[in-house]
Each structure stands twice: as C-alpha cells, then as structure tokens.
Amino acid sequence: MRLHRLTLTAFGPFGTTQEVDFDALSSAGLFLLHGPTGAGKTSILDAVCYALYAAVPGARQSPGAPLRSDHAPAGLPTEVRLELTVGGRRLEVTRRPAQPRPKKRGGGVTTEKAQSWLREYRPEDGWQGLSRSHQEIGEEISQLIGMSREQFCQVVLLPQGDFARFLRADAEARGKLLGRLFDTRRFAAVEERLAELRRAAEARVRTADEQILALAQRIAQAAGPAAAEAELPEDRPGEPGLAEGVLEWAAVARGGARERLGIARSVLAEAERRNDDARGALDDARELARLQQRYAETRRRAAGLEERRAEYDRCREQLARARKADLVAPALELRDEADRAHRAAGEARDRARASLPPELADAGAEQLAERERELRAELGALDAARRAERRSREIDTERARVDRQSGADDELIRETADWLAGWDTVHQELRSRVERAQEAATRAEQLAGLLAPARRRLEAARRRDALTEQKAEAEDALTTARERALAAHETWLGLRERRLKGIAAELAVQLVDGVACTVCGSADHPEPARAGDGHVDPATEEAALAAHRRAEEARAEAERHLGLIGERLDAALAAVAEAPGDTDDTAGAAGTEPVTELDDLVARLTREHTDAHRLAAGTHAAQESLAAAEREHLERLDARQRAESRAAARTSEREALDREQSALEAELAEARGASDSVAARAALLERRAGLLADAAETVRSERRADRQRKEADGRLADAAFRAGFDTPQAAAAKLLDDTAQRELQHRIDAWQAEAAAVADRLAETDAREAAERPPAAPDTAQAAYDRSARELRESATALAAAQERCTELDRLSRRAEDEVRALGPLRQEYTRVARLAGLTAGTSADNERKMRLEAYVLAARLEQVAAAATARLRRMSSGRYTLVHSDARSGGGRRAGLGLHVVDSWTGRERDTATLSGGETFFASLALALGLADVVTDEAGGVRLDTLFIDEGFGSLDDQTLDEVLDVLDSLRERDRSVGIVSHVADLRRRIPAQLEVVKERDGSAVRHRATGTLSG
C-alpha cells in the first residue's frame, strides 16, 4: 500500500483546505513531519485513518472530539480525500463526516449526513466512480488492505509509546495487544466453549448426583426404622463415590425391611386365630339372646290377641249384614233415580205452561201439537215477503250510494273549477322559485372557492404575527449567543496563547534528574524554566475551551432556531400572499394584510356562503314542487271530465230504482200486518211455535217419569224381601260404603294373621328351650370381639405397611440403579471435557507452564515478532542486543507464555526488557514495531506496506545511535518503502531533507513542504 496525496478541508486544526503530497515526500525514502505541539501533526495521521476506515485511531475516537475544525467558515464542508495504491489498484477515497451546514433557504443550520465516495483510476478511462455506500466502501478497503483499523494503526502508524509500554508490560497486557493485532478471538472462543462444556457437563453430573441423593432420601423415608441400621453416604454431589455408596446403603435398608415383613406376617396369623374364636363366641351369645327375646315377645302377643277377641266377633257380624244390604242397593238407587226424574219432569211442565196463553194453560199434548202445526204453516207463507223486504232495503242502499256519488262528483267539479282559476299564478311562482334556487347554488360554489383560501390566509396571517414576534426574540437570543461565543473564543485563545508562552515551565515540571528530556534529549537540566505571574495551567485552558464549545453549541442552536422560525415565517407570508381567485376584494398584497381585515373578509364570505347554501339547498324541493303541481293540473282536468260523464249516467239509474220500490211497497204492507216488518212478523210466529213444541214435550216427559217411578217401587220391595229385610228402609239402614267394609275386613284379617303367627311361634322348640337357659351376655362377647378385631386391624396395617415399604424400596432401588447407570456416561464425558478445558485454560496439572491456548498461539506469534525485530535491533545496537521470546512462568503464580527478554552480547546474559535505558528502549521498541509490522503484514496475506509512520521518541538517542537508527530506517528503501518520522528533535531537521512542516496559526494550522533545503508551500 502506497499513499500518494492527502487533501484535508476544515479537518481538526486545519481551517482551510490543505494538501499533503506523499509522492514528493516519499521520493527521498525518509521524510520528517514536524511542527509545534498542538499544530496538528497527529491530525494528518488521523485523516489518513479516517479516509480509509471512516474513524480515527481508537485513542482519539470519542464523542467529545469532533472532526470539524473550529476555524472553518460556516459554508466550507469538512472533507478528507486520500489517493493511494493498494492491491495494484489506484483508488481515491473521499469522506465527509456528519456536520452542520447553513440552510439553503432562510437562516439557521441543519445537520448534513455523513457521505463517502470511492473512485478508481484506469489508464484507458481515467477516474471512474465505484460506490457511494459507506458499507461497500468499508468492505472494499478492508479487503484490499487486509487489516482492521486497530491493526492498521498499530502497523502503519507505529505509535512508539505503545511499544515502549509493550516492552515493559506484563504477560497479560502483551496478550491484550497481540490479541487485537492477530485476532486470536477464535482460540479464546475455543477456551470459553470448552469451559462452557465443562460447566454444562459438571451441571449434568451434579444434577444426576442430586437426583440420586433425592432418591436416597426417599429410600430412607420408605425404609423407616430399617434405614437407621446403616448411615447414608455423606459425599457431596459431584464426588465420584457417591453413587456406589448410595447403592450399598439401599441394599442394607432393603434387607432390614424384608426381615420386618416376616415378623409382621407371623403376628397377623396369630391375631386372625384369636379374632375367629371371639367371633364364634359373639355369634353364640347373640343367637341365644335373640331366641330368648323371641319367646318373650310371642307370649306378649298371645295375651294381646285374647284381649281383642270380642272386637273381632263384632266386626265379623257387622260386615256380614252390610254385605246382605249390598244386594238391595241397586234397587234403592234405581227408585231414587226415578223419583228425581219425575220431580224434574213436573217442574219443566209447569215452566212451559206458564209461558202459554190462558186458553192453552190446561191443554193436552195433542192439542198443543196441533196448534204448533198451524203456526208453522203460516210461517212458511212469509218467505216470499221476506225476500221482497230484503230487496226493498237493497234499493234504499243503492239510492243512497247514487246520491253520495252524485254529491261527491258535484263537489269535485266545484273544487276543480276553483283550483284551475289560480293555476297560472301558482305555476309562475313555482318556476321563479326554481330559478332563484339554481342561481343561489352557483353563487354558493363561487363563494366556497373564495372562502377556503381566505381562511388559509387568515390562519397564515395569525401564524405570521406570532412568528414575527418569535423571530424578534430569536434574533435577540442569537445576538446574545454570538456575543457570548465570541467572548468565550477570545478568552480561550488568550489563555491558550499565555499557556504556550509559558509551556517551557510546564514541561520543566516533568523533568527528573538523570532522565532524558523529551524535547532536547539531555539528561542534565541546569536551568529549568519557571512559571511566571499569570501562568495558565492545562485545566484552566481546558475549562475555557469547554466553555467556548458550549457557547458555540448555544450559538449554533440559536442560529438553527432562528432559521427554523424564518422558514416558518416565509411560509406564512407566502400563504398570506396567496390570491384566492380573481375577486378584487380577496386578493392579498404580498402578505401584509392585517388579521382584522382578513377576519372580517372571512366572516363576510362565511355569511354570504351560508345564505346562498341555505337557499340552494331548496333547489331539489322547488323542482319537485313544480313537477307535482303540473301533474296535479293534468289529473284535475281528467277527474272533472270523468265526473261530468258519471252524473249523466246516474239520472237513468235513479228512475229505474224508484219504479221497483213502488211495486214492492204494496206487497210488503199486506205481509207485515200489525208488525213493523215481515222479519218481525216471522220472528213472532217462530217464537210462538217453539213455545208450543216445548210445552207438548214436557207434558209427554212428565207422563213417562211417573210410569218409571211406579215400576222402581215394585222392584225395591221385591229385592228387600229376598235379602231378608222386612222393609226397604231396614235394608238401607245396614248399608256401608266400600271404605267402611274394607276397614272391617282389614281388622278381621289382621287379627286372624296375628293369631296364626303366634300359634306358629309358640310351636318353636328352640325358642322354648332357650327361654329355659340362663340369660345371654352379648355385650361381654362384643367387647372381647372388638379387642381381637382391633389387634387384627393393627397387625394387618403393620403387614401392609411392611409390604408397601418393601415394594417401594424395590422400586426406588431400581430407579437408583437406573440413575447410576445413566450417570456413568455423563461422568466419563465430564472427565474428558474437564481435562481438555483445564488444559486449554492453563489450570491443569498436565499444563506445566500454566499457559492458556490463546496465550500459546500468541506466544508463537511473539516468537516470530521477536525474530523479525532482532534483525533490525542488532543493526541499531551495533550487534549488542537480541530480542528473545520466553515461556518461563513469572513470579507470583502468574501464567507463562508471553515473556520478552533482551540478550546483551557484551555480558552474555539474558535480562528483562524493562531494564533498558531510555534510548535503548526507543530503538528496541522501534525494532519491535517494525518486526511486528512485518509479521502482521504476512498474517494479513502479504499486503505490501510502502508507507510507514513513526511517531516521536528520537529525542532519547545519542548521535551515534540516532545515525544507526536512521540507517536502519533508510534501509527500508531497499524494499521500496517510504518512512515518515513524526518528531520535535531539531537534529532530525538537519539530517532529513524531505520535510512536512505543520504551522500553527490563529486562524487554523497549515502544512508546508520542504525538500533538499528548499521551501515549498
């Protein structure tokens, strides 16, 4: 990789555009980059790193360190452009960080996003754009260079202070640096993965052991007293002997439980025998007590039967007479029924005769029937008269209908004539209404087109007035912020200038006798500078700088706020100046109309629009009214014509009805007689005929009932005689209903059943013999049986518990054996993984040097770096020193693998690099940095690095050593390399002709090229 040209604009301390021509500087092979402290030497290296990786080196990358120059004018964007050759391709990378810029319209600032460009130069086509994507450019550059940003900063920029610390650092610090450079994270990941596998395997083994211990606790609970015969193993989960100890202890517990099971079976057999004996004795006592009680109860029942015998005989006699009386009951019921029918028929006859005329009150049935037939014949003769009467009523109805229709048609003709008299006026009014509504609709649309812009202008005018006030306030705030920022900037520059004047005293404070000065390189300090009055310390300058930056941020924020308000005000003015149409009274005048005028305009347009809209809303209704009126006009003309036609036809119909009515009246007068109508005459005759028919029937019914009563009296007397009663009344006195007879029979049957049962029980010999024995004692036998049963239950419970304990112990023991068998592969895997994890972590006894896997890989890289660095260190030290890698363990129990020693050929001894002097440390670290650059380059794929930078440290070398170091650096040209040295040492300005000077000025730093004693700007 070779750098050709670097262009910086508004970057870091450079307020304007500066250009660094690396081709001119590299032509000599060795060039010097110098300038006062703070001028921006390191910023040039930062710009190279930023162009390639879009970030500055890690030590200077922080949110509080912006890339944009404080000296840059507002309109000049911050930009870095680097032209280089890498991988055989000539590329140009341009980067712009995210930065504020003035707005294109109005005042204020806005934040512009970060931008990147990548171009490639091709001889046949010139410069061609490749990409503007940050991600694509970053991937392309990283792939071509083959190094990460950290590796690039460590290999190309060669920070000597880091390698000086690297020489004196312990193994852990060296490991961190080498790990970043050689990316050994995959080996650390292997260590971590093995550690995770070990922890996971250990967790599985511990879990399995805990399960086995949990089973052991359950076995102890299930075994009960048998578990106390042997102690549970005290091994903790994870210890190898735990599983076998649990199995042995479980076997002992099972044996004790089986012994207790045999004892429980013997106890249960004896308890069952005693219980059987007690059960037999209890049954005998209960049977004797039952027989004795049965015999005594039989004797009591026999005595009770004798006491109820008289009642039994009385019930038998009463039931026998009631059953004889039942033979007479049907005849009695028949006679009662005939008597009731005769009385009812007589009462009906009397009621029917009461409604007859006096002359027919005592008439017989035949006379009444004859009179009924005469009335029926007269009633039949009235049918024709009834039909004539119905027709007469129909004629009256038809004449009334004709009169109503005639009156309705006359009213329709008069109403139609009145309505048609005013038709022309109504028609003209409706047409005018439709025309007015249509004109109002057109006016409403015009007003709506004017009202919306007027409202927008009113709202914009209100915003304009509010934003005008806000803009005045923002301008005042911006003026104040600018004054404060200018004052803070002047204060900071003044303090910085005072500090630079006294910087010698500040550096003198850091001087130590015998230690080389970082400026002149001398170890003697005869007259160190002293701080004068008013000296400014770094903290005061930093505080002033922070205040200046805060003031600048406040100023930028005030400018942004003012610009935002200005944009909003311009938008409001443009909205107010909007012309809503061609109407002169709504046109704006460049947005200067007062709010009151616009408000009045909006109010007037609103009222006019509302009125027009309300009138236009009746357009459809007016059109509908006009159409309805025209339809009604036609309908009324047609209705009048039809009414006149109906009136002419109705006259002849009325005359025909009058003639028919006259003919019917003569016939009806004769048929009605004294009644009001033929129907009334017919109803009268029908009612009289019905009364005669009812009276004749009641007379005949009364005769039939009298004959049936006499027949029932004869049957009753005959039935009573046959049943053995003297009179029917005697038989009726002995009658009982079914319920009473069933009650008597039940009492008789109960006495007979009790007598039979008592006789059977008195014949039992076993009860009589038991009664002759002494009284039984079942309570005593029950108490003995209860004791034996309780002992039996306790024995059975003990046996069941023992059986269940043995069953549970067998089941849990099998589970424990299964868990132990499953634990075997887990423990083997844990042993294997733990051995590998301990070996890679450096904690295993097999790892004698306690070296981790990552440290082992880094040790191999460090050995390569030491070999590459020795080739240059021997030239710089005139063959005296050699760097060697050491894998010996450090003191304090620290791990080995990353030790770095120097071999002094003058003494032949090997010692730690921390014992080197200041100058020796410098050229040793320089050799180490160059060697590391070679190894990292090879590690990255052999990318050629044609441009290197070495930062500071030459002031600690004497003249001879400096010559040797410069010779080594100059020898890099043999590989077509160019080396840039960043240093304050004045002697280097005489020794190195090609120079790049960074000049610090009040308005920003600038770069100047010097070549072979000439100055070029």
Side-chain angles (χ1 to χ4, degrees):
M1 181 191 71
R2 176 178 293 278
L3 304 183
H4 299 291
R5 190 176 304 277
L6 174 67
T7 304
L8 306 91
T9 302
F11 183 85
F14 304 102
T16 58
T17 300
Q18 303 293 323
E19 184 175 301
V20 179
D21 187 356
F22 286 112
D23 285 337
L25 294 172
S26 301
S27 60
L30 197 64
F31 63 91
L32 177 66
L33 179 60
H34 67 93
T37 302
K41 300 184 298 298
T42 306
S43 295
I44 294 177
L45 307 184
D46 292 346
V48 172
C49 183
Y50 181 76
L52 295 175
Y53 295 97
V56 298
R60 294 181 291 278
Q61 186 180 17
S62 64
L67 302 178
R68 181 168 176 78
S69 175
D70 295 332
H71 304 285
L76 184 64
T78 299
E79 181 180 282
V80 175
R81 180 182 296 112
L82 177 63
E83 184 180 339
L84 73 159
T85 297
V86 58
R89 300 168 60 186
R90 187 162 183 139
L91 302 175
E92 180 187 78
V93 186
T94 304
R95 303 273 192 181
R96 284 187 181 180
Q99 55 189 299
R101 66 166 176 80
K103 292 185 175 179
K104 297 180 180 179
R105 295 183 179 179
V109 295
T110 184
T111 300
E112 189 177 60
K113 295 182 179 180
Q115 302 179 61
S116 299
W117 294 271
L118 178 63
R119 298 197 304 170
E120 182 178 4
Y121 180 78
R122 297 168 183 169
E124 63 277 7
D125 300 326
W127 288 104
Q128 299 293 321
L130 297 182
S131 177
R132 299 190 63 174
S133 169
H134 299 295
Q135 183 177 0
E136 291 179 358
I137 295 173
E139 293 176 355
E140 183 75 13
I141 295 298
S142 298
Q143 184 176 3
L144 289 173
I145 298 177
M147 288 183 285
S148 64
R149 178 172 59 88
E150 291 77 7
Q151 291 175 323
F152 178 84
C153 296
Q154 200 76 36
V155 172
V156 177
L157 304 185
L158 298 181
Q160 291 305 298
D162 288 351
F163 282 96
R165 287 190 296 272
F166 182 82
L167 285 173
R168 298 185 175 91
D170 56 12
E172 184 176 357
R174 288 196 185 107
K176 290 180 180 179
L177 176 61
L178 294 175
R180 289 197 304 269
L181 292 178
F182 294 104
D183 191 16
T184 57
R185 288 174 295 180
R186 59 187 183 277
F187 301 103
V190 171
E191 297 178 20
E192 182 61 28
R193 179 57 180 165
L194 287 173
E196 291 177 359
L197 292 176
R198 179 187 59 78
R199 289 192 294 269
E202 183 181 7
R204 289 194 293 270
V205 170
R206 186 178 296 276
T207 301
D209 282 347
E210 290 175 353
Q211 292 178 354
I212 293 174
L213 281 178
L215 286 174
Q217 296 296 334
R218 293 179 62 184
I219 290 173
Q221 293 176 0
E229 297 178 0
E231 294 184 358
L232 187 66
E234 298 181 355
D235 296 335
R236 292 177 297 179
E239 296 184 2
L242 175 64
E244 290 75 9
V246 168
L247 292 180
E248 294 176 0
W249 173 83
V252 174
R254 289 198 305 274
R258 290 192 180 95
E259 292 179 1
R260 284 173 171 75
L261 176 61
I263 296 172
R265 286 173 178 166
S266 301
V267 172
L268 177 62
E270 180 62 24
E272 288 177 346
R273 185 188 61 76
R274 288 196 299 269
N275 182 258
D276 292 340
D277 296 343
R279 180 67 182 180
L282 176 61
D283 292 341
D284 294 342
R286 286 177 175 174
E287 180 63 18
L288 179 61
R290 184 186 67 80
L291 292 174
Q292 290 175 349
Q293 183 178 4
R294 181 180 179 85
Y295 186 77
E297 182 182 357
T298 302
R299 298 298 297 174
R300 288 193 299 273
R301 291 170 63 183
L305 282 175
E306 290 301 324
E307 293 176 356
R308 298 195 303 275
R309 182 177 292 278
E311 180 183 359
Y312 165 72
D313 294 338
R314 181 177 56 78
C315 290
R316 289 184 61 190
E317 182 180 357
Q318 184 178 2
L319 180 59
R321 294 189 65 83
R323 287 176 176 172
K324 288 181 179 181
D326 287 342
L327 301 176
V328 187
L332 286 171
E333 292 178 358
L334 181 61
R335 200 272 178 191
D336 292 340
E337 181 65 27
D339 187 56
R340 286 192 298 271
H342 181 265
R343 287 196 300 272
E347 293 173 355
R349 181 200 61 189
D350 293 341
R351 288 193 300 271
R353 286 181 181 274
S355 60
L356 294 177
E359 64 271 15
L360 297 177
D362 296 329
E366 292 77 6
Q367 185 180 358
L368 293 173
E370 181 61 26
R371 181 57 181 162
E372 178 192 359
R373 285 193 292 273
E374 294 174 355
L375 292 176
R376 294 289 182 189
E378 185 180 356
L379 183 62
L382 291 177
D383 289 342
R386 280 200 292 267
R387 288 192 296 273
E389 187 178 39
R390 286 196 297 272
R391 177 56 186 162
S392 178
R393 288 195 297 271
E394 292 175 357
I395 291 173
D396 292 339
T397 302
E398 291 179 2
R399 291 185 64 180
R401 176 182 56 77
V402 170
D403 292 340
R404 286 195 305 273
Q405 291 177 352
S406 178
D409 287 341
D410 294 342
E411 179 65 26
L412 176 61
I413 291 171
R414 288 194 301 272
E415 182 183 354
T416 302
D418 295 339
W419 190 88
L420 290 174
W423 163 244
D424 293 336
T425 304
V426 172
H427 186 254
Q428 184 62 33
E429 176 61 28
L430 290 174
R431 291 183 63 85
S432 299
R433 179 183 170 192
V434 171
E435 292 174 358
R436 290 195 302 270
Q438 290 175 345
E439 292 175 357
T442 303
R443 177 62 177 167
E445 291 179 359
Q446 294 174 352
L447 291 172
L450 298 175
L451 183 58
R455 286 175 176 168
R456 290 196 297 270
R457 293 178 62 208
L458 175 59
E459 294 298 327
R462 290 172 177 166
R463 292 197 303 272
R464 176 201 62 196
D465 294 347
L467 289 171
T468 300
E469 297 178 0
Q470 295 179 10
K471 182 177 181 182
E473 296 175 358
E475 288 175 347
D476 295 340
L478 177 59
T479 301
T480 303
R482 284 174 174 171
E483 292 175 354
R484 291 178 179 174
L486 183 60
H489 187 249
E490 292 295 333
T491 301
W492 171 59
L493 291 178
L495 292 174
R496 183 175 180 82
E497 187 173 357
R498 287 167 54 191
R499 182 191 171 199
L500 291 175
K501 290 180 179 180
I503 195 67
E506 186 175 324
L507 295 174
V509 175
Q510 304 175 2
L511 295 177
V512 178
D513 292 338
V515 178
C517 174
T518 58
V519 179
C520 65
S522 174
D524 297 330
H525 319 298
E527 295 182 1
R530 301 182 181 276
D533 295 337
H535 175 67
V536 178
D537 55 4
T540 303
E541 182 187 353
E542 290 295 331
L545 178 59
H548 164 56
R549 289 175 176 171
R550 289 194 298 270
E552 282 295 319
E553 292 175 358
R555 177 191 60 76
E557 177 62 22
E559 289 179 349
R560 186 193 65 77
H561 184 58
L562 177 59
L564 180 61
I565 294 176
E567 290 178 358
R568 293 177 180 173
L569 180 58
D570 293 342
L573 290 172
V576 174
E578 175 188 1
D582 297 330
T583 305
D584 295 338
D585 57 358
T586 60
T592 59
E593 292 87 348
V595 172
T596 54
E597 294 181 3
L598 293 175
D599 197 4
D600 295 340
L601 174 61
V602 170
R604 178 173 61 81
L605 292 175
T606 302
R607 289 193 302 273
E608 293 178 359
H609 177 265
T610 302
D611 296 339
H613 187 271
R614 182 171 57 252
L615 183 57
T619 302
H620 181 71
Q623 292 173 346
E624 289 292 329
S625 299
L626 177 59
E630 291 175 345
R631 288 194 301 271
E632 185 179 1
H633 176 256
L634 296 176
E635 291 172 357
R636 284 182 180 271
L637 290 175
D638 183 61
R640 184 178 64 177
Q641 182 179 1
R642 290 195 303 271
E644 291 173 349
S645 300
R646 289 194 299 270
R650 207 172 284 120
T651 301
S652 58
E653 183 180 1
R654 188 182 291 109
E655 293 174 353
L657 291 175
D658 289 343
R659 289 192 298 271
E660 186 179 1
Q661 183 71 28
S662 298
L664 291 174
E665 283 296 331
E667 181 182 355
L668 291 175
E670 181 181 359
R672 284 195 296 266
S675 299
D676 295 335
S677 64
V678 175
R681 177 64 177 170
L684 177 60
L685 293 177
E686 182 70 30
R687 186 167 61 255
R688 288 177 179 178
L691 291 174
L692 291 172
D694 292 342
E697 181 62 28
T698 57
V699 170
R700 286 191 290 270
S701 297
E702 192 272 336
R703 289 177 182 176
R704 287 193 300 271
D706 184 63
R707 287 194 302 269
Q708 292 174 357
R709 185 182 64 172
K710 290 178 180 179
E711 291 175 358
D713 286 341
R715 290 191 186 95
L716 176 60
D718 184 61
F721 178 76
R722 286 196 301 268
F725 295 99
D726 295 337
T727 63
Q729 290 75 15
K734 296 299 182 180
L735 281 174
L736 292 176
D737 58 12
D738 292 342
T739 303
Q741 289 186 23
R742 284 195 299 272
E743 178 63 24
L744 290 174
Q745 185 64 47
H746 176 70
R747 293 166 68 183
I748 292 170
D749 294 343
W751 192 93
Q752 290 176 351
E754 179 68 9
V758 169
D760 291 341
R761 293 179 65 172
L762 287 175
E764 295 177 353
T765 57
D766 53 351
R768 186 169 58 254
E769 292 175 355
E772 297 173 355
R773 296 175 59 184
D779 294 339
T780 303
Q782 181 67 46
Y785 173 73
D786 291 341
R787 287 194 299 273
S788 64
R790 184 171 58 254
E791 293 174 356
L792 178 60
R793 287 194 301 272
E794 292 174 354
S795 301
T797 301
L799 177 60
Q803 290 175 339
E804 183 179 358
R805 183 176 294 114
C806 290
T807 302
E808 182 67 11
L809 285 175
D810 292 340
R811 185 182 67 83
L812 293 175
S813 297
R814 287 193 297 272
R815 283 192 57 186
E817 292 172 358
D818 294 340
E819 293 291 343
V820 171
R821 282 194 295 272
L823 176 61
L826 295 179
R827 186 170 293 281
Q828 292 177 0
E829 180 184 1
Y830 167 68
T831 302
R832 182 176 64 257
V833 172
R835 183 170 178 272
L836 286 174
L839 189 64
T840 56
T843 58
S844 172
D846 297 333
N847 193 333
E848 297 180 357
R849 298 189 178 278
K850 303 300 180 183
M851 186 183 299
R852 294 171 48 199
L853 176 62
E854 183 182 14
Y856 177 78
V857 175
L858 292 177
R861 295 289 187 270
L862 182 59
E863 189 172 1
Q864 295 174 358
V865 171
T870 297
R872 296 183 176 88
L873 179 59
R874 293 179 63 84
R875 290 188 59 186
M876 294 181 188
S877 62
S878 301
R880 179 179 179 182
Y881 294 118
T882 301
L883 282 175
V884 295
H885 160 254
S886 173
D887 58 2
R889 295 182 60 181
S890 304
R894 297 179 181 177
R895 299 176 185 177
L898 297 178
L900 191 62
H901 292 173
V902 61
V903 178
D904 190 348
S905 61
W906 290 4
T907 62
R909 302 190 55 149
E910 179 180 333
R911 55 192 173 97
D912 193 272
T913 54
T915 60
L916 295 174
S917 65
E920 293 172 341
T921 299
F922 169 73
F923 62 71
S925 63
L926 177 59
L928 183 64
L930 294 175
L932 182 62
D934 293 339
V935 175
V936 172
T937 300
D938 295 338
E939 181 74 14
V943 178
R944 180 179 177 84
L945 300 179
D946 298 322
T947 305
L948 300 177
F949 294 93
I950 301 174
D951 190 2
E952 297 296 349
F954 291 88
S956 59
L957 304 179
D958 55 29
D959 292 341
Q960 181 180 354
T961 304
L962 181 59
D963 290 338
E964 293 173 349
V965 169
L966 292 178
D967 289 341
V968 171
L969 295 178
D970 191 54
S971 67
L972 295 176
R973 288 186 297 175
E974 299 173 358
R975 300 175 61 182
D976 198 20
R977 282 184 175 179
S978 60
V979 179
I981 298 176
V982 182
S983 179
H984 291 284
V985 178
D987 191 33
L988 292 177
R989 300 177 193 174
R990 297 187 300 270
R991 294 172 179 263
I992 302 176
Q995 299 177 13
L996 179 66
E997 182 181 5
V998 182
V999 182
K1000 181 167 61 175
E1001 299 175 352
R1002 192 174 186 84
D1003 56 352
S1005 298
V1007 298
R1008 297 177 181 177
H1009 291 74
R1010 293 177 181 271
T1012 62
T1014 63
L1015 178 65
S1016 62

